[in-house]
Amino acid sequence: MQINGLNKTTLLDYPGHLAATIFIGGCNMRCPFCHNASLVTKVSSQPIIPKDQVLAFLDKRKSILEGVCITGGEPTLYPCLPDFIKEIKAMDYKVKLDTNGTNPTMLKQLYEDNLIDYVAMDIKNSKEKYSLSTGVKNFDISSVEDSVDFLLNSTFDYEFRTTIVKEHHEEKDIISIGQWIKGARSYYLQSYEDSGDVISPGLTAHDKETLEKYVQVLAPYVNKVSIRGL
């Protein structure tokens, strides 16, 4: 497992918990709007933080921090992820996993082994435009569909989320996503921001009024929908 970053304290990444965020390098998508491009396209040149160093930090801060968010890149690419999380859970941390949903087998394993407490899964776009937003030609969406179905029928906390980009998303896409994840507990629209480390610079965000309209059209499908990043 390649750990390329550690945010030692955050109130944003794990809803309701003071947490640390661990950034895992490598991804099987090339989303044009990805805001962690260096962890995707330049992962071999990124500094590596030894796992033992991260675990030592977490052990030292376990009386202060409540949770750990594991993000990427795409953490579920690594077969050793469950063992890594076991070491974190042994310190009594809650664990949140960020994922693109392409490894439903591992997602289910982590759930069955009580290794994750919260999942945030990206929905890149409507099914019809998934290849556009993953940056992967002829992207096979079946694994993502499996993960969506699993979360919709799960008993633990999760959220779906979509980074909304003007060049990628229009109202019909938002409605299609709503129909796809109908019955979801929580769905967040994240307004696109150019972090300075995106795969395809030059993309833009919708205005606030458009995002608010998207929330309205999603209301019949999702129990809770709101906007992040405004």
Side-chain angles (χ1 to χ4, degrees):
M1 175 177 296
Q2 186 163 321
I3 300 175
N4 294 116
L6 174 64
N7 183 357
K8 295 182 176 181
T9 307
T10 176
L11 287 168
L12 300 176
D13 293 344
Y14 194 154
H17 297 285
L18 182 65
T21 300
I22 298 169
F23 295 87
I24 309 297
C27 190
N28 51 354
M29 293 183 178
R30 294 294 182 270
C31 307
F33 44 82
C34 177
H35 66 281
N36 284 334
S38 295
L39 295 181
V40 176
T41 62
K42 302 176 182 177
V43 65
S44 61
S45 64
Q46 298 303 300
I48 297 174
I49 305 174
K51 183 188 76 169
D52 290 346
Q53 181 178 323
V54 173
L55 292 173
F57 164 77
L58 293 176
D59 187 53
K60 188 180 296 184
R61 296 294 297 275
K62 62 185 179 183
S63 62
I64 300 171
L65 299 174
E66 302 167 296
V68 175
C69 177
I70 301 177
T71 189
E74 176 49 44
T76 65
L77 291 178
Y78 293 88
C80 59
L81 179 64
D83 289 334
F84 179 53
I85 296 178
K86 285 178 184 177
E87 294 185 82
I88 296 173
K89 294 292 286 183
M91 302 178 205
D92 292 326
Y93 280 108
K94 290 183 177 295
V95 173
K96 170 181 177 267
L97 175 69
D98 291 349
T99 182
N100 61 24
T102 53
N103 192 344
T105 299
M106 180 175 286
L107 187 59
K108 295 170 186 177
Q109 176 192 347
L110 293 171
Y111 168 70
E112 290 169 0
D113 292 344
N114 295 312
L115 293 177
I116 46 176
D117 302 282
Y118 193 101
V119 171
M121 179 180 158
D122 294 320
I123 302 291
K124 301 299 182 180
N125 208 328
S126 61
K127 294 181 183 182
E128 297 78 13
K129 291 170 67 173
Y130 230 77
S131 287
L132 169 68
S133 293
T134 61
V136 178
K137 188 176 181 180
N138 300 319
F139 180 81
D140 182 358
I141 200 174
S142 59
S143 60
V144 175
E145 291 177 310
D146 194 357
S147 291
V148 168
D149 290 343
F150 169 67
L151 290 177
L152 287 175
N153 292 286
S154 69
T155 58
F156 71 113
D157 288 335
Y158 70 87
E159 67 179 56
F160 294 116
R161 60 191 187 182
T162 300
T163 298
I164 304 295
V165 184
K166 192 172 185 179
E167 291 80 6
H168 283 241
H169 304 95
E170 51 189 317
E171 185 173 336
K172 66 179 182 180
D173 300 309
I174 303 304
I175 294 172
S176 179
I177 294 171
Q179 293 170 339
W180 179 13
I181 64 169
K182 186 176 181 180
R185 297 178 194 170
S186 298
Y187 182 38
Y188 292 93
L189 305 183
Q190 301 177 160
S191 182
Y192 171 75
E193 292 184 11
D194 189 336
S195 67
D197 187 26
V198 295
I199 289 181
S200 298
L203 298 171
T204 56
H206 279 296
D207 57 34
K208 182 179 179 180
E209 290 71 24
T210 299
L211 291 175
E212 289 174 341
K213 183 179 180 182
Y214 289 171
V215 168
Q216 293 176 357
V217 301
L218 285 164
Y221 304 105
V222 181
N223 292 311
K224 175 185 176 183
V225 57
S226 59
I227 302 169
R228 283 186 181 138
L230 287 180

